[in-house]
Amino acid sequence: MNPTPGSERGRAVAVPLVVPADTPGGWLARSLLAPFRLTYLLALTFAGLVALAGGPLLLAHHLMDRTHNSPSDHLHVYFGLLVTMVPCLVWGLSWASGGRGRAAGAVLTLPGLMSLASALLYHGDTPGGNHGLVLFAPFMVVVGVFGARWVASEQRRVVGRWSGTPVRDPYRRLPDSGSQPRWVRSRAAALGWVTDPALWRDVAWALVSGVVMVLGLGLLVLSPWLFDQLGPNGEFAKPAVLYGLALMMSPALVLWGAPVVLDLHARAAHALLGPSRQGELVARVQHLSETRAETIDHNAAELRRIERDLHDGAQARLVALGMALNAAEQLFETDPGAARALVTEAKVTSAKALVELRDLVRGIHPPVLADRGLVDAVQALALDLPLQVQVSGELDARPPQAVESAAYFAVNELLANTVKHAQARRAWIEIGHTDAGPNENVLRIVVADDGRGEADPTRGSGLRGIERRLASFDGVLAVSSPVGGPTIASLEIPCASPSPKTSSSSATA
Amino acid sequence: MRVAIAEDLFLLRDGLTRLLQAHGIEVTAAVESGEELLQALRADRPDVAVVDVRLPPSFTDEGLRAALTARQELPGLPVLVLSQYVEQLYARELLADGSGGVGYLLKDRVLDGTQFIDAVHRVAAGGTAMDPEVIGRLLTHNAAAGPVATLTPREREVLALMAEGRSNAAIAQQLVITERAVAKHTASIFVRLDLQPSDDDNRRVLAVLAFLNQDA
């Protein structure tokens, strides 16, 4: 049996607004989907703009105190209706494109839209009157910032899904300060959240993209009028004729134009919504200093363990051995029988010391790993377990020694978990390389068992430990373990430069 | 009997040579690398080759690979492999051709001179000498499920000693029981494991090892 089909679990099910790029006829489906996707983006952008600008707009609207008989009065009704429809549209499309729980974020854009709608519907009367407005507007600004962040996140998500290249989260990770009291942590979290430049970039994105959209759409709608005013209004190019032609061709224009606009938007989103260069560097430095500290701690702890094992084990036994031989030497003349017993004891002690040294060496660097490399070392490991383990796969070149060793001990830990907790009868291990790029080579190992599942990385310290140790190699561990099994753990470690087969330089057998 | 030794540490090589000579065994060659061993074996075929797993120049499993090559070139050449650690993986590779005349022991066993010399004689005669640690782990691997789990503790002891390559007489001596009792246990084990009984000690051992090494 092969474990890989199971690893497809956990991938999201395709939903109407998502078409995998490699489906036959996918381009047709994508072209037909493009207008819907564009609609969603426009609605999102509009919702984001209004969520942010709702409060200030209301205030301005009220201050300007427009007369009730303005020529555009009858537009209010249609515009108001449009505004109230937008949140429903945003919510529905977010849901349809796989947003699920995240679709609830659409609610954040509601206050701005609703109040704008009501102001428009009731001819400038703001909800709650003047006093209400003063209280309401600041609240709307705050909700608007949340809304803008949600809109930006939603755009990151859909652009990532539609273009196939994920747009990574730009937000700062808060340093782990687990030991401090809760209120200190919440305050630090709130402060970190507000001072994160990425949040304010989201807000700027919502504002600018909203304004660009409004200007663009306005230009499109007003183009006949502009043409009439500015263009050559001759016999052969009457604006009405041109406009009629454009109207007839509009479906084709939308089909042609929507993918172009989507593409432009995707590029902009990748450039502006992803992490900034500085943000990336800050995150990288943070990650490196965290993993470096952990690696140093781990190494120091390992050295202490080895020192203790030697001190309490082999070293103590050698002392006992020396003492027994010394005593025997003195007894040879007077009591040969007792001397013989002491020598026998010394032999047993030396055998025990050898066993302890052997176990210690196995824990530091397993001999088979040094002799043969990862696949055979894992095979040897599997043979020592009280369950049937099938090891498959091969590596063209040996990964760097540190990576090899980290991978070996990770697999060791995973198998130990399987034996201890999973009640499994069989296990499968697959080892291979995945090419991630020209100079990027990823070591990939899948460990699967038919046990009872329920392995939880957040609870077990073993899995957390593996995750942390892999992190110092930029490696990741993914565990899928539903109740009732099977458990599938997959670990990936990037190897910058797979070295050609090298020999270990340790000296003795 | 004539023996060739490959061991890179001078002290151990010297010790082994003396030990073997003290028991009236002729040492035809005492070399320190896998390549030298192959040359020595080709030049003058001894009765047994005693080989350390880790040898220069690579200091990996050079000795084991030399032993496997030697057995391919000179079929039936008895080989006794010594190592600072034992691995089931290597034991499998040594046993893979199923022809016997193979030994795989921890270097610790050399401490017990008579046992070691006994193992050398056994391997030279086409038998097997597997380290108790290899067999112990082999049984652990098989113990959870399958027919091995149905054996009584005594039968499992007999099975372990048999898998090491001991004869019925040696097993009886070790467990302090009569040879007939051992034969009874052996027969019962062969029924439980569904193996063809055989009077030949060596073939019996190989059957047991093949059974324990199969991937269920």
Side-chain angles (χ1 to χ4, degrees):
Chain A
M1 210 188 105
N2 191 344
T4 35
S7 58
E8 297 292 315
R9 265 162 193 276
R11 191 176 280 182
V13 186
V15 283
L17 277 180
V18 183
V19 173
D22 47 2
T23 326
W27 67 269
L28 180 67
R30 275 200 305 283
S31 307
L32 291 176
L33 272 177
F36 290 99
R37 291 174 167 178
L38 189 61
T39 311
Y40 182 30
L41 280 184
L42 291 178
L44 258 182
T45 311
F46 184 69
L49 177 69
V50 178
L52 271 175
L57 271 181
L58 262 183
L59 217 66
H61 190 89
H62 183 79
L63 289 175
M64 279 159 66
D65 196 18
R66 302 179 63 178
T67 52
H68 290 186
N69 295 323
S70 90
S72 53
D73 256 5
H74 56 287
L75 277 178
H76 286 163
V77 180
Y78 303 112
F79 195 58
L81 268 176
L82 173 71
V83 162
T84 43
M85 291 308 289
V86 164
C88 304
L89 189 69
V90 167
W91 180 83
L93 287 172
S94 175
W95 181 269
S97 64
R100 303 291 160 95
R102 272 167 292 195
V107 171
L108 289 169
T109 64
L110 264 180
L113 290 156
M114 293 301 265
S115 49
L116 196 69
S118 69
L120 290 166
L121 279 171
Y122 297 107
H123 304 285
D125 287 339
T126 49
N130 274 342
H131 299 292
L133 184 68
V134 171
L135 293 171
F136 196 53
F139 162 74
M140 278 176 54
V141 171
V142 173
V143 176
V145 170
F146 279 92
R149 181 175 154 143
W150 178 79
V151 165
S153 300
E154 187 62 11
Q155 297 204 10
R156 266 192 288 275
R157 182 180 72 78
V158 291
V159 166
R161 292 202 85 162
W162 296 344
S163 69
T165 326
V167 185
R168 277 185 296 131
D169 253 358
Y171 305 115
R172 231 175 12 206
R173 272 193 318 120
L174 288 172
D176 192 17
S177 52
S179 58
Q180 279 158 335
R182 178 181 285 258
W183 70 271
V184 176
R185 268 183 290 156
S186 336
R187 201 187 54 175
L191 209 66
W193 202 81
V194 172
T195 55
D196 190 348
L199 174 69
W200 301 106
R201 283 204 299 148
D202 283 358
V203 169
W205 166 271
L207 276 177
V208 171
S209 64
V211 168
V212 167
M213 184 197 77
V214 167
L215 286 180
L217 285 181
L219 207 66
L220 204 65
V221 171
L222 293 179
S223 57
W225 178 78
L226 282 174
F227 198 75
D228 193 26
Q229 292 291 309
L230 305 171
N233 191 7
E235 283 291 313
F236 299 101
K238 275 196 191 298
V241 175
L242 275 180
Y243 201 48
L245 271 174
L247 208 61
M248 283 195 286
M249 284 166 61
S250 59
L253 273 177
V254 167
L255 278 182
W256 172 82
V260 176
V261 177
L262 280 177
D263 186 49
L264 281 175
H265 175 266
R267 280 163 197 247
H270 273 118
L272 299 172
L273 278 181
S276 67
R277 185 85 189 118
Q278 196 200 355
E280 267 182 346
L281 287 175
V282 167
R284 183 79 190 138
V285 167
Q286 197 176 343
H287 172 80
L288 286 178
S289 48
E290 271 170 23
T291 53
R292 188 186 64 164
E294 268 166 12
T295 308
I296 292 171
D297 281 355
H298 176 73
N299 287 349
E302 274 294 279
L303 284 178
R304 267 201 307 280
R305 182 183 68 81
I306 292 166
E307 186 270 338
R308 219 176 29 239
D309 282 2
L310 280 175
H311 181 268
D312 299 348
Q315 229 171 354
R317 294 211 188 276
L318 286 176
V319 171
L321 187 68
M323 279 161 62
L325 288 176
N326 195 32
E329 190 182 28
Q330 287 168 4
L331 283 173
F332 265 132
E333 303 294 316
T334 53
D335 188 353
R340 186 181 293 277
L342 278 170
V343 170
T344 312
E345 189 193 308
K347 225 163 76 175
V348 173
T349 309
S350 80
K352 279 185 184 159
L354 276 173
V355 170
E356 279 171 3
L357 281 175
R358 200 154 41 231
D359 290 347
L360 192 64
V361 167
R362 215 183 269 281
I364 298 170
H365 195 78
V368 189
L369 186 61
D371 291 356
R372 300 277 187 90
L374 190 58
V375 179
D376 276 7
V378 168
Q379 176 84 56
L381 187 64
L383 284 173
D384 286 346
L385 294 180
L387 74 163
Q388 296 297 333
V389 186
Q390 188 186 322
V391 182
S392 56
E394 58 183 303
L395 301 173
D396 325 326
R398 283 183 75 159
Q401 275 189 15
V403 171
E404 220 176 28
S405 173
Y408 174 87
F409 283 107
V411 172
N412 189 6
E413 183 85 37
L414 287 171
L415 286 175
N417 276 345
T418 300
V419 172
K420 247 190 280 174
H421 307 297
Q423 297 167 4
R425 286 187 310 119
R426 285 170 159 275
W428 297 267
I429 302 176
E430 206 173 77
I431 301 177
H433 272 310
T434 341
D435 282 322
N439 294 320
E440 192 88 350
N441 203 332
V442 177
L443 174 64
R444 187 164 187 274
I445 304 178
V446 179
V447 180
D449 68 58
D450 63 353
R452 65 190 172 91
E454 275 189 280
D456 184 359
T458 55
R459 272 188 314 160
S461 62
L463 289 177
R464 281 284 300 136
I466 299 174
E467 240 170 11
R468 276 206 302 271
R469 255 165 286 152
L470 291 184
S472 48
F473 295 90
D474 288 334
V476 287
L477 170 73
V479 179
S480 147
S481 184
V483 177
T487 299
I488 298 164
S490 145
L491 53 97
E492 290 184 359
I493 311 177
C495 321
S497 54
S499 64
K501 196 169 167 124
T502 49
S503 57
S504 150
S505 57
S506 57
T508 54
Chain B
M1 190 166 60
R2 301 160 70 248
V3 176
I5 301 173
E7 159 67 61
D8 60 314
L9 288 180
F10 170 76
L11 279 177
L12 262 170
R13 190 167 67 234
D14 196 45
L16 273 174
T17 311
R18 279 161 198 247
L19 181 64
L20 291 169
Q21 280 168 347
H23 285 81
I25 296 170
E26 183 192 341
V27 177
T28 59
V31 297
E32 41 183 315
S33 76
E35 196 44 50
E36 283 171 316
L37 173 73
L38 283 177
Q39 283 168 8
L41 293 180
R42 286 183 201 123
D44 174 24
R45 192 192 143 136
D47 296 318
V48 185
V50 176
V51 189
D52 182 8
V53 165
R54 196 171 274 194
L55 287 179
S58 67
F59 289 108
T60 59
D61 57 346
E62 189 127 341
L64 180 71
R65 279 182 279 135
L68 292 172
T69 314
R71 274 172 72 81
Q72 263 174 10
E73 281 183 24
L74 311 165
L77 173 79
V79 171
L80 175 56
V81 175
L82 293 178
S83 177
Q84 206 66 266
Y85 53 91
V86 287
E87 291 290 346
Q88 286 190 59
L89 188 70
Y90 295 173
R92 276 180 179 222
E93 289 174 9
L94 282 166
L95 289 166
D97 61 5
S99 62
V102 172
Y104 185 35
L105 294 177
L106 275 175
K107 280 187 181 170
D108 310 16
R109 311 300 169 206
V110 182
L111 290 176
D112 192 337
T114 41
Q115 288 268 7
F116 176 69
I117 296 298
D118 179 46
V120 173
H121 279 294
R122 218 155 68 216
V123 172
T128 48
M130 285 290 129
D131 198 272
E133 198 177 318
V134 179
I135 302 304
R137 290 206 237 151
L138 202 51
L139 287 176
T140 318
H141 184 61
N142 281 278
V148 176
T150 67
L151 298 180
T152 65
R154 187 53 125 184
E155 283 168 351
R156 224 180 282 186
E157 274 178 319
V158 173
L159 177 66
L161 289 169
M162 194 159 53
E164 283 174 28
R166 312 280 183 101
S167 63
N168 274 5
I171 297 174
Q173 197 189 352
Q174 175 98 15
L175 294 180
V176 202
I177 50 177
T178 62
E179 232 175 288
R180 276 192 51 189
V182 174
K184 224 178 72 193
H185 286 309
T186 315
S188 161
I189 292 168
F190 271 68
V191 170
R192 294 275 182 97
L193 302 189
D194 199 17
L195 293 176
Q196 213 62 48
S198 161
D199 288 334
D200 179 29
D201 273 353
N202 289 344
R203 220 178 300 155
R204 210 177 55 178
V205 171
L206 290 175
V208 168
L209 284 173
F211 173 83
L212 291 176
N213 270 326
Q214 72 192 337
D215 283 308

